[in-house]
Amino acid sequence: MTTFEALADPTRRRILDLLRDQPRLVGELVDLLAISQPGVSKHLRVLREAGLVRVRQDAQRHWYELRSEPLQELDQWLDSYRHLWLERFDRLDSFLQELQQEREQQQVEDVQQQENEDEQ
C-alpha cells in the first residue's frame, strides 16, 4: 500500500497524529480512538506496511512510533505544488483587501449622507 493510500483513511491519520506526540501502546490507541482493538491493529498493520510507523517490542508490549521519513518524502513532493497554493492565497488576500476598502468607503459615504440629511 502506498503512503497516499494509507493516509486516505481519517482513522489512520488520527493514529499518526497521536503517534506524533509520543510512541504508544495498542491499548492506549484503543482508548484514545474509542474503536476496537482489532480495528486499531488493522490500521496499524496498514501504516506499518506503508512504512509510516514502526513497532518496538518491550517484553510483552508493542510500542508503535511514527516514522517521519515517508512524510518528509511526501512533503518534498508536495513542495513543487506549494507555489500554486501561495498564488491563490495571494489573490484571495488581494480580493479581501479590495472588499475591505470598498466597505470602508461605503461606510464613509453613508456617514456623509447621514450628516447631509441631518443638516437639512
Side-chain angles (χ1 to χ4, degrees):
M1 179 172 288
T2 69
T3 301
F4 284 113
E5 291 169 322
L7 293 174
D9 186 278
T11 301
R12 289 194 283 269
R13 291 193 307 268
R14 178 72 177 118
I15 290 171
L16 291 180
D17 290 342
L18 293 168
L19 295 177
R20 179 184 57 214
D21 299 333
Q22 65 187 44
R24 297 190 186 267
L25 298 167
V26 175
E28 287 180 75
L29 294 170
V30 167
D31 293 340
L32 292 167
L33 295 167
I35 60 175
S36 68
Q37 187 274 329
V40 171
S41 293
K42 180 185 104 176
H43 288 297
L44 286 169
R45 186 185 76 245
V46 170
L47 291 169
R48 193 176 63 247
E49 288 173 359
L52 291 164
V53 300
R54 71 175 136 252
V55 63
R56 178 174 44 89
Q57 191 165 350
D58 178 25
Q60 297 296 322
R61 302 185 310 181
H62 293 88
W63 290 91
Y64 285 86
E65 52 193 20
L66 179 67
R67 289 190 65 243
S68 62
E69 298 85 0
L71 296 173
Q72 291 168 348
E73 291 171 12
L74 179 61
D75 183 57
Q76 289 172 352
W77 180 78
L78 287 171
D79 193 46
S80 64
Y81 293 91
R82 281 199 179 86
H83 74 280
L84 299 172
W85 303 332
L86 295 176
E87 289 172 10
R88 289 180 181 164
F89 286 138
D90 288 342
R91 286 196 310 262
L92 177 60
D93 185 49
S94 297
F95 176 72
L96 293 174
Q97 286 179 11
E98 288 174 22
L99 285 178
Q100 181 66 29
Q101 289 171 355
E102 290 173 8
R103 182 173 180 227
E104 291 170 358
Q105 180 62 34
Q106 185 62 47
Q107 288 174 340
V108 168
E109 291 172 6
D110 290 346
V111 168
Q112 289 173 346
Q113 182 179 1
Q114 185 64 41
E115 288 174 350
N116 286 340
E117 290 174 4
D118 289 344
E119 289 177 0
Q120 295 176 357

